[in-house]
Amino acid sequence: MPEVTVGTVLVFLIIIVALVLFVTEPVPIDVTALGIMVTLMMLGPWTGISPRDGVSGFANPATMTILAMMILSEGVRRTGVIQRLEEIVTSYTGESSHKQLGATIGIVGPLSGIINNTAAVAILLPMVSDLAHENGTSPSKLLLPLSYASMAGGMLTLIGTSTNLLASTIASRLATDYPSLHAFSMFEFTQLGLLVFLVGAAYLLTIGYWLTPSHVTPRSEFETTHREEFLTEITIGNTSPLVGMTIQEALQQIEFEGNVTQLIRRDDYYREPRLSMIIQSDDAFMIRLTENALRTLYDVEGIEFVPEVTPQGDLDALAPGQTLVEIVITAGSDLVSETIETSGFQDQYQAGVLAIRRGGKTTHERLTEHRIQPGDMLLVESDSNTIDRLADDPNVVVAGEIDLQQFRSSKLPLAVGVVLSVVALAAVGILPIMVAALGGVIIMFVTDIIKPAEAYDAVQWDVIFLLSGVIPLGRALSETGGADLLGTLIVSTADFLPIIAVLGLFYLLTAAMTNLISNQASVVLFIPIAADTAARLNANAFAFILAVTFAASTAFMSPVGYQTNLFVYGPGGYEFSDYARVGGPLQVILAIVTTLGIAMFWGL
């Protein structure tokens, strides 16, 4: 048993605190990552992390490659290629939900192999959502498979996900101690990635399709079926003709389709108020309603929307350029943990938030007090300039159709050519992937495919800081002997398990952890342990690292396990249990497929 030093104990304490913070998120995960980095440096005499080691993540090739790929993805998006793709896909799929699902999986998988899979989902989400709505399919049937297929597709190449790049960097650093390790090449594990993708696609088209819920009704069926519901808040003005009526009389008079869920009268709160209660001026009502019912309320005199949304005229006759649009808040948004009021959203965008949905449920909290979380979907009413600004925000995904943005269509062939050239140069070994990607960014700048200001906005800085913050943790785990200690414990399972079962155990442990914390943190924690375990078992260290790498990118069982799962959480109307029901069997199937695939392709 390796010696347990003060440094070992400190690093494990840091890991435990970090895990709690990653799961509970009292502060954003990138802030937690920076806290890890600073703590390791402050305890440098025991953790073995010097100031130079602590900030090395910012100069790490994986970090710079991910930054460059984010910019390249944004450059491609600004050419309007996805809008053209939508027209082609729609003409093929028609109203067949299975064809729509097949097209969704078939597009996002390969695309996730050549650009970051998170960016691929952000780009394709509006297209898939519109495809479903316009052809009578519930978006819920397509959006969860979109996320899952992107994760599997990200394992086709080195640049498909930030996890692969980070794992490659760590493997390269460990090569001095474990000769069988090396930095991954572009198509190092493509054969296994293709197997995982094909098995995952087959599952999503069959069992997964049956298990995936249909929570959201497509817009094309709104006239004949129940409507998609939102939650909004209104106040009754002094001049309103509803003052003095009972709630039931008011609902009958305005022919309103909705449920009054809460009455706020001064300091008193009434859950599910009685319909016989008399309406008073300054009453505030929380109402669950459909979009059409929301339009009806716009015509009622003396009603104000909270927070202070004052409609101008009838929604059906909006001023030119004004529209209703649904936006999804991602983990990197400044709105996270803020309320609509404290975030200054309305002042910043000159837009009104009319309703909020979280997953498949509506909340009974007042909108002014509703703290926004990643995956929340906001119904926003504003003009064309605001919608353009929202569409340009990399931390906001516009889930509705947008025809307002001006795309640089003439640059489309050049943008696609740049991305393919980056992949090709790295694949044949002419240039390292980081150099090729940064060179591609320069070409996009020079040819005006993307402007510098747009590029900086496109970078998800929370991801960059998260990566840079957790990278020193893996080094500290190795320096203090923590990896040796955990490796010894896991090696003991080889006394009663064959090596292939120990490999599968690593996959399952990593996958379980990744469903709770970030995939980057999982890779940093488990790769040094996997390498040490393989060495103790005289096994192939590369095989064990591949198991960790693949498992860290297959967090199917929770919406917080992977950012793409959060992207589809609100637009799909999903509940937490949906991820476990649909993703659980897939997680088990791919655990078996990946473990056997590694043994078959690389041996143990």
Side-chain angles (χ1 to χ4, degrees):
M1 179 72 69
E3 180 185 359
V4 178
T5 65
V6 173
T8 306
V9 174
L10 286 175
V11 169
F12 277 120
L13 286 175
I14 292 171
I15 290 172
I16 291 170
V17 172
L19 290 176
V20 172
L21 293 177
F22 279 138
V23 173
T24 59
E25 286 195 50
V27 294
I29 59 175
D30 52 314
V31 175
T32 296
L34 287 177
I36 293 170
M37 179 184 72
V38 172
T39 303
L40 290 172
M41 290 189 292
M42 291 177 65
L43 299 175
W46 299 278
T47 62
I49 300 299
S50 67
R52 180 183 293 274
D53 295 330
V55 299
S56 62
F58 289 101
N60 191 282
T63 305
M64 295 306 299
T65 304
I66 291 163
L67 185 148
M69 293 305 299
M70 288 176 179
I71 297 174
L72 293 175
S73 300
E74 178 66 8
V76 173
R77 186 186 74 83
R78 287 183 175 273
T79 64
V81 64
I82 300 303
Q83 283 64 30
R84 294 192 180 187
L85 184 61
E86 180 180 358
E87 297 175 3
I88 298 172
V89 171
T90 301
S91 64
Y92 163 73
T93 63
E95 296 183 357
S96 170
S97 58
H98 264 91
K99 284 186 177 181
Q100 293 164 16
L101 179 58
T104 298
I105 295 171
I107 292 171
V108 75
L111 184 62
S112 296
I114 58 174
I115 66 173
N116 183 273
N117 56 1
T118 301
V121 171
I123 291 171
L124 290 175
L125 191 150
M127 185 200 86
V128 174
S129 183
D130 287 340
L131 178 68
H133 276 301
E134 293 173 5
N135 292 283
T137 300
S138 171
S140 309
K141 280 289 188 183
L142 302 183
L143 294 180
L144 197 57
L146 171 71
S147 176
Y148 289 172
S150 75
M151 284 189 256
M155 302 311 298
L156 291 171
T157 68
L158 172 64
I159 61 174
T161 172
S162 59
T163 312
N164 299 346
L165 290 163
L166 183 57
S168 175
T169 299
I170 298 173
S172 176
R173 196 186 70 230
L174 293 173
T176 54
D177 298 321
Y178 307 97
S180 65
L181 296 184
H182 55 272
F184 302 156
S185 64
M186 178 63 73
F187 300 112
E188 182 93 36
F189 42 76
T190 297
Q191 64 270 50
L192 180 59
L194 185 60
L195 177 63
V196 166
F197 175 71
L198 291 176
V199 171
Y203 171 86
L204 292 173
L205 287 166
T206 52
I207 299 173
Y209 179 82
W210 177 66
L211 292 174
T212 304
S214 299
H215 290 315
V216 178
T217 301
R219 286 191 295 265
S220 59
E221 296 182 9
F222 275 6
E223 297 303 318
T224 57
T225 65
H226 68 282
R227 271 53 172 243
E228 185 176 4
E229 291 183 335
F230 291 93
L231 190 73
T232 194
E233 181 177 345
I234 63 171
T235 57
I236 307 298
N238 296 328
T239 62
S240 174
L242 302 181
V243 173
M245 294 184 182
T246 66
I247 296 176
Q248 185 170 13
E249 290 171 344
L251 292 175
Q252 291 173 346
Q253 175 164 322
I254 62 179
E255 299 180 350
F256 179 73
E257 298 179 12
N259 297 319
V260 178
T261 62
Q262 183 173 255
L263 164 63
I264 304 101
R265 180 171 289 167
R266 289 176 286 278
D267 294 328
D268 296 324
Y269 288 69
Y270 302 90
R271 295 281 187 181
E272 305 292 341
R274 300 187 309 275
L275 295 180
S276 60
M277 292 185 70
I278 303 296
I279 297 174
Q280 300 179 11
S281 62
D282 295 326
D283 278 353
F285 289 96
M286 293 292 285
I287 303 174
R288 186 185 297 115
L289 74 174
T290 64
E291 187 174 314
N292 284 344
L294 187 64
R295 297 175 188 273
T296 300
L297 280 183
Y298 271 101
D299 293 329
V300 179
E301 182 183 353
I303 286 182
E304 294 182 356
F305 286 76
V306 179
E308 298 181 5
V309 178
T310 306
Q312 303 295 323
D314 179 31
L315 256 179
D316 286 320
L318 290 172
Q322 283 201 320
T323 186
L324 285 175
V325 68
E326 297 167 356
I327 64 172
V328 182
I329 306 301
T330 74
S333 174
D334 292 338
L335 299 175
V336 172
S337 299
E338 299 283 351
T339 65
I340 297 167
E341 200 168 45
T342 61
S343 67
F345 180 88
Q346 293 180 180
D347 294 333
Q348 180 182 355
Y349 288 102
Q350 296 299 304
V353 179
L354 306 184
I356 298 176
R357 278 187 41 197
R358 177 172 295 163
K361 298 179 180 178
T362 53
T363 176
H364 292 278
E365 299 171 359
R366 303 182 69 174
L367 290 186
T368 51
E369 300 171 358
H370 184 105
R371 292 205 174 273
I372 299 171
Q373 295 183 8
D376 281 357
M377 186 164 69
L378 279 58
L379 179 66
V380 175
E381 181 266 323
S382 192
D383 59 22
S384 58
N385 290 331
T386 292
I387 304 305
D388 273 341
R389 289 175 59 201
L390 288 169
D392 287 341
D393 188 337
N395 293 312
V396 169
V397 178
V398 179
E401 181 178 3
I402 295 187
D403 295 322
L404 303 168
Q405 192 173 6
Q406 297 299 313
F407 295 108
R408 299 171 187 134
S409 301
S410 62
K411 305 289 186 179
L412 193 156
L414 181 58
V416 173
V418 168
V419 173
L420 293 179
S421 297
V422 168
V423 174
L425 288 171
V428 299
I430 296 177
L431 290 174
I433 180 60
M434 180 186 71
V435 178
L438 289 173
V441 169
I442 297 298
I443 294 174
M444 283 196 172
F445 284 157
V446 172
T447 56
D448 207 29
I449 295 173
I450 189 171
K451 302 181 186 303
E454 296 169 346
Y456 301 141
D457 287 340
V459 176
Q460 294 174 282
W461 293 105
D462 61 315
V463 175
I464 299 302
F465 279 89
L466 172 62
L467 279 170
S468 303
V470 299
I471 283 174
L473 186 57
R475 185 180 184 90
L477 198 62
S478 297
E479 292 288 333
T480 60
D484 289 344
L485 178 62
L486 290 176
T488 300
L489 294 175
I490 296 177
V491 165
S492 65
T493 63
D495 293 337
F496 53 89
L497 291 176
I499 291 181
I500 193 169
V502 178
L503 182 70
L505 178 62
F506 259 106
Y507 183 100
L508 291 174
L509 287 174
T510 307
M513 188 65 71
T514 306
N515 277 289
L516 298 176
I517 65 174
S518 76
N519 51 335
Q520 292 93 349
S522 295
V523 161
V524 168
L525 289 175
F526 280 102
I527 280 186
I529 301 170
D532 184 75
T533 301
R536 292 170 182 269
L537 294 173
N538 292 320
N540 183 356
F542 184 75
F544 276 71
I545 283 184
L546 273 188
V548 171
T549 304
F550 270 72
S553 293
T554 54
F556 301 124
M557 296 181 64
S558 80
V560 298
Y562 206 87
Q563 193 168 21
T564 59
N565 284 349
L566 275 176
F567 281 5
V568 303
Y569 182 54
Y574 298 115
E575 300 175 0
F576 198 101
S577 59
D578 293 329
Y579 290 82
R581 185 176 67 255
V582 182
L586 181 58
Q587 195 95 69
V588 173
I589 291 171
L590 292 188
I592 297 171
V593 169
T594 304
T595 303
L596 294 177
I598 290 173
M600 179 175 63
F601 292 130
W602 291 279
L604 300 178

